[in-house]
Every structure is written in C-alpha cells, then in structure tokens.
Amino acid sequence: GKKHKVTVVGSGNWGSTISKIVAENTKLYRDLFEPEVQMWVFEEDVVIPSDSKHAAAAGSSPQKLTKIINQYHENVKYLPGVTLPDNLIANPSILDAVKDSTILIFNLPHQFIRNACKQLKGEILPFARGISCIKGVNVSADGVSLFSEWIGEDLDIYVGALSGANIANEIAAEKWSETTIAYDPPTMDNSRAPTPRSTSPSIGTVDLAEIPHKDARGRASKSKLTPIPAEYPPLDHGCLRKLFHRPYFHVQMVSDVAGVSLGGALKNVVALAAGFVEGRGWGDNAKAAVMRIGLMEMVRFGKEFFGETVQTGTFTETSAGVADLITSSSGGRNFRCAKKAIEKGLSVSEVEKQELNGQKLQGTLTAFEVHSFLSTRDRLRDYPLFTAVNDILVGKAQVDDIPSLVSKLDHDE
Ligand code: NAD
Ligand code: 13P
C-alpha cells in the first residue's frame, strides 16, 4: 500500500521544532510514513551568527535560509543550536513542498496563514488532512473562527489541532512536555472500503465523491471532503499519535478541536496580562489572580461562542488549556515582551521588534481581534481581563487599572 507523506507548512521557532519531531518519527514508522519530511521555509537571506558552530565554515556573507538548513541541518535564525534530522528537507517553494502530501501540518504565525492558503488552494491532494499548530483565532465580519476550521473550509480538507504547554526551545532541547491533539476525522476516512474507480487521471484511483462532515461546532461543514483512499494506512488517532509522540513529547489525543484551538489562542491574551503585572513589579499573587480570571474568561468565551461542542474540561484538564496558560505566563514570548514593555516604558510591538529576531507574537493581534469581536456584540462587560489587555495595548488603560477593572465582574456575580 501507499504511505503518508508529511509536509510542515512553516519553519519558525515552533515550526522547526515540530518538523524535528515528525521527521524523527517518520524515520521510525516506515510502514506508515514516507521517511522524508518537507518543510516549507519563507525564504530569506541570513548571515550565520558569529557564535554559531557553523560560522567559521559559512563565512559572513548572507545565504539562503533553505540552503543553510539543508547543508548544516540547523535553522540558525529561528531555532539556533538545535540539530535537525537529515530526512527533513527545507523547501522554499510552498507548492513543491506540499506536492503529494497526505498530511499537512500548519505551523506559522497566524498573520501569514491567509496568504499561504491562497497559494495552496486547489494545489493539494483533495484527500489531504491537516493539523493546525497555530495559536490564534480568525475574526471577520461573520464572527470568530478557529484556524483549524478556517483552513479546512478554505482548502476543502479536514483539519484538527495540536496545542499544549509547549515552549518550543525546551522541546527542541528534548526536555519533557505534554501536548494535546484534537482530531475528529470524517467517519469514512478510516473505513477499509474498496477503492472506487478513478475519476481523475491526475490524482489516480480515488473516490472524489464528497463526504458530509460536521465542523468543530457540530454544524454541517462547508468543506467538501474527499475520503482518503483505502491504499493508505488509516489516518486515525493511533496513526497521528505515532507521528507526534516522542519520549520527550507526550501526546494526548482528544476530539474537542474547538476547545484545543481556543485554549492556545486565548491564553496568549492572558500571558500578556501576566507580563504586565510582573513588569509593574507586582508579585506572584497578582500573576496567579490574572491567570485565574483569564482561565474563567477563556471558559466563558468557549461556552458562549462554541458551546455546542466545547468541553470545559479541555480548558481545565488538558495541556492545551490550563497547562499552556501557566507555561506561557511564566516564560512565553508574549509574557516576556509584555513584562519588558512595562519595565522600559515601550510598546509591546517595539519590544517584539527589538528582542525577537523576526519571531512573531500572537497575543497582541489576538487581543485586538477578540476585543473587536466582543465589542461588536456588546459583550465586553463579561470579559474585563481581555478588555483590559486590549486597552493597555492601545494606551487607553494602565496596569494599575487592572484590579478595579476585573473586580467589577466578581462583585456583580
Ligand atoms: P516564529 O514566531 O518563530 O515566526 C517566524 C516565522 O514566520 C519564520 O518562519 C518566518 O520565516 C515566518 N515569516 C516571516 N514573514 C513571513 C511571511 N511574510 N510569510 C510567511 N512566513 C513569514 O513562529 P513559530 O514560533 O514557529 O510560531 C508558529 C505558531 O506556533 C504560532 O501560532 C505560535 O503561537 C505557535 N506556537 C509557538 C510556540 C513557540 O514556543 N515558539 C509554541 C507553541 C505554539
Ligand atoms: P509564546 O508565543 O508567548 O512564546 O507562547 C509559546 C507557547 O505557545 C507555549 O505553549
């Protein structure tokens, strides 16, 4: 039979780390996966830093990042000091990278996903499946959507979500962590029905019939899914677990795609608040208060806008919920940049530019998007911490205002 081919769309700090993980596993499970993993790299010219072990050999002139990754097996800009497996291939062409791939792992900052999907539309296998590792939400005039559902509907494929307490650098150094993968595949995917006749010479023997499927909110999905042909190994929880689980990266499989996606997105807003109070010089009690209130607002948001499917336990019991909230509010980039912004009297985006060497924060954009979504619906009142973070970012409130802003709600209840 055929084997699944895996492509990672994105190659930043987390994109490179996830690529390392899956390339280690595709080498191990050759009955399920093609060993070679493609990683799409947004191409740029990079000078290898002088403290890199490759600096002497590489010289000081700029080189293409893909060339550096393929030659030295290291992403010297976004994941320096970590050796990547040699079956991981950096590819500057997004279309070439996804060619023939049945498993697409979306892992890039959420501000760039729309443009990536525009290029991929109609250019991927119709029966490909996706996993979104993106932490953010998509807000439009129609409301709020998850990247898992948004990518799925845009590309007409099914997309699950991976999210957890996963600071990339720790995992790249193979320090133990947990993660949560939500995948609720179309029922026809893993049935071993005989493959119907080909309807497309370019794609081969597949059934291009569309199969009905429910989206992450339990509604009939707008995406037109094509079942995975029977020659491929079933793409079920067991198969995905083999792709992502490592001795240092423990995977819990669940079905609540909306809860897992929302946890990863909303905790970034709370991590900014944690950075603000720490930067103000307040202690651990203040940070714990922000995390408690933030978790309540995350649960409230999930129940109010994704209530058909979201389970409270996803926020309170999984790595994608409370554990990610804690790690992100301790050592995440959103936390660190927010803290420094208050300490130095700068804006968070100024600190992001100065400190992150091209890495991108997700919390600032998410705070603005969530705020505009809630504001349009006249629902800010029940989300005082999310509102306070937005107001501090735009200069309408101070850190000192947080206690009175958030305590109003508790007194009302
Ligand atoms: P990152 O912050 O390292 O971002 C930089 C990436 O963006 C680089 O690969 C760069 O090439 C790319 N880029 C820059 N301009 C671009 C453009 N115009 N078009 C396309 N790509 C462009 O990225 P990351 O840390 O890999 O984050 C990806 C996602 O993973 C985010 O949603 C983030 O929240 C999530 N995440 C990150 C971590 C972490 O610790 N870094 C952990 C878990 C989840
Ligand atoms: P930051 O993007 O704030 O670094 O958060 C990383 C993360 O998602 C940890 O799970």
Side-chain angles (χ1 to χ4, degrees), residues 94-168:
I94 191 166
L95 295 189
D96 193 53
V98 299
K99 194 167 177 285
D100 299 329
S101 280
T102 51
I103 302 178
L104 304 175
I105 300 167
F106 296 91
N107 199 329
L108 66 177
H110 80 278
Q111 40 275 62
F112 305 129
I113 189 65
R114 188 177 296 275
N115 192 38
C117 283
K118 216 194 284 170
Q119 299 177 64
L120 293 178
K121 221 174 161 64
E123 303 286 343
I124 57 173
L125 284 181
F127 51 83
R129 297 291 177 256
I131 294 288
S132 164
C133 303
I134 299 161
K135 292 183 175 175
V137 284
N138 185 49
V139 170
S140 67
D142 297 342
V144 63
S145 63
L146 312 166
F147 277 103
S148 41
E149 56 182 2
W150 188 84
I151 298 168
E153 285 175 7
D154 203 45
L155 299 181
D156 279 334
I157 59 173
Y158 176 77
V159 181
L162 179 154
S163 190
N166 296 149
I167 304 242

Side-chain angles (χ1 to χ4, degrees), residues 11-15 42 107 109 112 135 166 168 333 359-360 362:
S11 55
N13 192 231
W14 186 224
F42 178 75
N107 199 329
F112 305 129
K135 292 183 175 175
N166 296 149
R333 298 168 298 187
Q359 292 184 31
K360 302 282 178 208
Q362 304 285 268

Side-chain angles (χ1 to χ4, degrees), residues 32 36 83-84 95 129 144 254 267 279 290 332 346 348 355 366:
L32 297 174
E36 183 181 294
T83 303
L84 300 169
L95 295 189
R129 297 291 177 256
V144 63
V254 301
K267 63 85 194 175
V290 155
L346 296 169
V348 175
E355 302 281 324
T366 304

Side-chain angles (χ1 to χ4, degrees), residues 68-353:
I68 296 173
I69 296 173
N70 288 332
Q71 183 168 356
Y72 299 109
H73 304 292
E74 184 179 323
N75 187 339
V76 294
K77 177 156 182 192
Y78 295 104
L79 193 61
V82 175
T83 303
L84 300 169
D86 55 13
N87 57 323
L88 177 68
I89 311 296
N91 192 332
S93 158
I94 191 166
L95 295 189
D96 193 53
V98 299
K99 194 167 177 285
D100 299 329
S101 280
T102 51
I103 302 178
L104 304 175
I105 300 167
F106 296 91
N107 199 329
L108 66 177
H110 80 278
Q111 40 275 62
F112 305 129
I113 189 65
R114 188 177 296 275
N115 192 38
C117 283
K118 216 194 284 170
Q119 299 177 64
L120 293 178
K121 221 174 161 64
E123 303 286 343
I124 57 173
L125 284 181
F127 51 83
R129 297 291 177 256
I131 294 288
S132 164
C133 303
I134 299 161
K135 292 183 175 175
V137 284
N138 185 49
V139 170
S140 67
D142 297 342
V144 63
S145 63
L146 312 166
F147 277 103
S148 41
E149 56 182 2
W150 188 84
I151 298 168
E153 285 175 7
D154 203 45
L155 299 181
D156 279 334
I157 59 173
Y158 176 77
V159 181
L162 179 154
S163 190
N166 296 149
I167 304 242
N169 293 335
E170 295 178 15
I171 298 166
E174 306 193 357
K175 295 175 181 171
W176 173 59
S177 78
E178 300 180 301
T179 203
T180 318
I181 299 178
Y183 196 76
D184 187 15
T187 43
M188 273 178 67
D189 263 7
N190 302 313
S191 65
R192 308 308 290 157
T195 309
R197 279 204 159 270
S198 164
T199 49
S200 159
S202 61
I203 292 157
T205 50
V206 293
D207 178 8
L208 287 177
E210 291 161 12
I211 51 176
H213 184 62
K214 290 202 165 107
D215 71 9
R217 292 179 235 203
R219 306 169 305 197
S221 175
K222 288 186 211 144
S223 47
K224 299 175 186 62
L225 294 182
T226 303
I228 301 174
E231 303 92 294
Y232 286 91
L235 189 50
D236 51 14
H237 278 191
C239 181
L240 281 175
R241 198 167 180 282
K242 286 201 166 97
L243 185 58
F244 288 99
H245 187 89
R246 297 293 299 147
Y248 58 87
F249 190 60
H250 284 199
V251 169
Q252 182 191 12
M253 298 294 311
V254 301
S255 298
D256 182 6
V257 177
V260 166
S261 305
L262 279 178
L266 297 175
K267 63 85 194 175
N268 281 331
V269 182
V270 187
L272 287 172
F276 289 151
V277 301
E278 180 126 340
R280 181 70 182 80
W282 295 346
D284 292 335
N285 296 335
K287 198 158 95 173
V290 155
M291 287 160 69
R292 179 192 75 81
I293 297 160
L295 184 62
M296 276 172 49
E297 292 187 17
M298 287 166 62
V299 172
R300 181 172 295 139
F301 192 95
K303 284 197 144 346
E304 181 166 353
F305 303 109
F306 294 81
E308 301 85 350
T309 53
V310 150
Q311 292 164 20
T312 303
T314 307
F315 295 108
T316 56
E317 292 170 27
T318 74
S319 184
V322 64
D324 193 12
L325 179 73
I326 294 169
T327 203
S328 297
S329 301
S330 310
R333 298 168 298 187
N334 286 287
F335 167 77
R336 287 188 279 115
C337 289
K339 175 171 180 274
K340 197 157 231 175
I342 300 301
E343 285 168 351
K344 305 252 179 218
L346 296 169
S347 73
V348 175
S349 63
E350 279 170 312
V351 178
E352 175 184 19
K353 281 195 204 88

